[in-house]
Amino acid sequence: AQRVTQPEKLLSVFKGAPVELKCNYSYSGSPELFWYVQYSRQRLQLLLRHISRESIKGFTADLNKGETSFHLKKPFAQEEDSAMYYCALRGYSSASKIIFGSGTRLSIRP
Amino acid sequence: DTAVSQTPKYLVTQMGNDKSIKCEQNLGHDTMYWYKQDSKKFLKIMFSYNNKELIINETVPNRFSPKSPDKAHLNLHINSLELGDSAVYFCASSEAGTNQPQHFGDGTRLSIL
């Protein structure tokens, strides 16, 4: 079954502390993984995708096929990182739908 | 301003009514989607259209009917609204082809009284 699991509904860390938002997936094949972010009162937007191997706003995410994980990390949290984060996956066929995790609310304390 | 825009932003109506939410994208994308975000913030796909053709239709009550007059528009019509339909509905679009990132609208908060 295709599934994306984000085990933490809420993650609260202090400013300057490291952040890790967990994401595990279940998929028969090699999907593409994404992280989407929704800041307060803003639209949902793409943060990063695993094939880009880029760092956006200090965030990185490495696809670990052995552990079927795609955790989102940032070494030093900033207050503006407070938002709702969704991990998502999509298969490679043209009719594949994107499947979202349930989301993790990240709260950065000053 | 290139974007995915949906109207209205807020929709408050009574049970049993019929309502529509409109979505337009000027990004030149071929594929459009409707998602429902429930009270627990869980995002679930409802429909996907590619060049006006339905390609994904999840298990959604047939009171929900998407309509795509052209590839830049995907409207969502809902008949006989029920309390459980209260949610935020997001429209999104992407380029055709595999694994293109999706661009989302601001969402429409639907509240059923």
Side-chain angles (χ1 to χ4, degrees):
Chain A
Q2 301 170 23
R3 193 186 306 124
V4 177
T5 304
Q6 292 180 248
E8 302 138 329
K9 279 193 173 177
L10 172 66
L11 183 63
S12 183
V13 301
F14 283 105
K15 178 182 170 183
V19 172
E20 183 180 47
L21 296 164
K22 292 190 167 49
C23 173
N24 288 91
Y25 67 90
S26 172
Y27 188 82
S28 55
S30 296
E32 180 165 8
L33 278 296
F34 306 86
W35 274 100
Y36 281 82
V37 60
Q38 188 176 24
Y39 299 103
S40 179
R41 302 183 186 202
Q42 293 188 30
R43 62 184 58 181
L44 193 65
Q45 56 188 291
L46 179 69
L47 180 62
L48 53 79
R49 53 199 297 201
H50 90 268
I51 61 168
S52 304
R53 294 183 175 274
E54 56 197 345
S55 173
I56 305 291
K57 299 184 181 184
F59 284 97
T60 58
D62 290 320
L63 179 61
N64 185 324
K65 291 185 180 180
E67 294 181 1
T68 58
S69 67
F70 188 56
H71 303 325
L72 184 67
K73 298 177 185 177
K74 184 169 182 175
F76 307 104
Q78 299 169 283
E79 285 187 67
E80 54 266 32
D81 296 330
S82 293
M84 195 77 181
Y85 291 81
Y86 291 92
C87 182
L89 72 74
R90 187 173 180 181
Y92 279 91
S93 78
S94 59
S96 287
K97 62 188 179 190
I98 193 165
I99 299 169
F100 285 87
S102 52
T104 298
R105 180 167 296 285
L106 177 63
S107 175
I108 308 300
R109 290 179 279 178
Chain B
D1 188 26
T2 53
V4 178
S5 55
Q6 14 178 151
T7 53
K9 276 196 169 178
Y10 301 95
L11 187 51
V12 182
T13 189
Q14 290 188 325
M15 253 188 351
N17 285 348
D18 302 339
K19 289 291 176 188
S20 291
I21 308 172
K22 294 185 177 179
C23 179
E24 176 182 4
Q25 54 91 7
N26 61 5
L27 297 162
H29 290 165
D30 288 311
T31 310
M32 295 185 73
Y33 313 81
W34 275 107
Y35 288 86
K36 180 179 180 181
Q37 185 183 45
D38 62 24
S39 56
K40 296 181 180 177
K41 301 293 185 185
F42 188 61
L43 265 172
K44 192 169 181 189
I45 191 163
M46 300 172 71
F47 302 102
S48 172
Y49 270 70
N50 187 51
N51 257 327
K52 302 195 298 172
E53 278 190 45
L54 181 66
I55 56 172
I56 292 173
N57 183 0
E58 286 298 291
T59 308
V60 174
N62 56 16
R63 297 182 294 104
F64 289 79
S65 52
K67 297 238 177 349
S68 182
D70 54 61
K71 76 173 194 177
H73 295 83
L74 181 61
N75 304 323
L76 183 64
H77 188 77
I78 316 169
N79 288 328
S80 303
L81 280 157
E82 298 177 358
L83 287 175
D85 298 334
S86 295
V88 180
Y89 293 84
F90 284 96
C91 178
S93 72
S94 70
E95 292 179 17
T98 56
N99 298 311
Q100 296 299 327
Q102 296 184 14
H103 298 253
F104 284 80
D106 288 328
T108 296
R109 182 174 293 279
L110 174 62
S111 299
I112 310 301
L113 303 176

